[in-house]
Amino acid sequence: MSAPLKETAPTGGPTPPPPPVSKGTARPGDRRGEGVVLNVFSHGFLALWAVLIVLPLLWLVLSSFKTDAQIGASAFGWPQNWDPGVFSRAWEKGIGDYFLNTVVVLVFSVPLTMLLGSMAAYVLARYEFWGNRLLYYFFVAGAMFPVFLALVPLFFMVKRLDMLNTYQGLILVYVAYSMPFTVFFMHAFFRTLPSAVFEAAILDGASHTRTFFQVMLPMAKPGLLSVGIFNTLGQWNQYILPTVLMQPQSGDDPERYVLTQGLIQLQQQQGYASDLPVLFAGVTIAMVPMLVVYLSFQRQVQAGLTSATLK
């Protein structure tokens, strides 16, 4: 017997209509359209943001090569005479000393902040003890405390320690100022590190100190680099703290102004004999190092910010 034949639609018949699409279901074409609109909006916003950042920086650098007459005639004009000697003139007028003072402070304050902040964050993240959360929230509360409210007691505290207008006084204040953010950032990073590596190091006989410095700290390198860049930028651009703490206390006390103070002093010293190109050159000298540092470690900063959420 032959197999039963199945009914097939005639070849020349009409095509059956597509199944109805409910109102809550999006078609693939609609999703692609939404993605295109979102990409156009995001790229347009990023392009606008880049213009708002790059144009002022470009205007600042170009103004350094102008004269006072050119700046007064057209603030947005192109320089007529490119004179790089304005940077050496700004350096001789005090920018060099201010730059050196800032570097001396940051060479000690940033590594000390990273060391103490990482140690505190590691203990709070990996060890359970009474008062752990209380100490953690104490550090977090420090990040929300406005520094302006602590200026007066901070001034008298540093004065009693005889550290006004000293490098060590400003270094200690910078470390205390940057600790809350460092502990908050590194605490979240240390909690994402695998516990198996920590347990293996303890089983192999490594002490807690050796485990931290030789095992856990190298694994936290992306986070350390990211928070280190943020601390460097924040301490380099700090103005209110050195203004309060780095003032000469007597006629024999030398001036140890940092860059942010020095730029204000340079503007005040000009008086009526203004030399705007020197001021613009000083701001450029203060800006370029941090711009180079950030652009050089841009990928590492992005990796450190995203690694904690990807692990």
Side-chain angles (χ1 to χ4, degrees), residues 109-111 113-119 121 178-190 217 220-235 293-294 297 300-305 307:
S109 63
V110 173
T113 301
M114 301 307 302
L115 176 63
L116 298 179
S118 299
M119 294 174 66
S178 304
M179 279 286 288
F181 173 74
T182 305
V183 172
F184 173 76
F185 188 93
M186 294 305 300
H187 179 272
F189 200 90
F190 277 122
L217 199 60
K221 183 179 178 180
L224 285 172
L225 186 59
S226 299
V227 74
I229 294 298
F230 287 126
N231 284 331
T232 302
L233 293 174
Q235 295 179 13
V293 168
Y294 181 79
F297 296 98
Q300 289 81 355
V301 171
Q302 294 176 354
L305 291 176
S307 58

Side-chain angles (χ1 to χ4, degrees), residues 12-13 22 49 73 111 140 151 155 169 189 216 218 233 255 271 273 281 292 294 304:
S22 60
W49 183 263
V140 173
L151 289 179
F155 173 83
F189 200 90
M216 306 302 291
L233 293 174
E255 293 182 352
V292 172
Y294 181 79

Side-chain angles (χ1 to χ4, degrees), residues 131-151:
N132 182 300
R133 304 308 296 173
L134 181 62
L135 288 176
Y136 172 71
Y137 289 127
F138 178 78
F139 280 107
V140 173
M144 298 182 291
F145 189 81
V147 68
F148 301 97
L149 300 180
L151 289 179

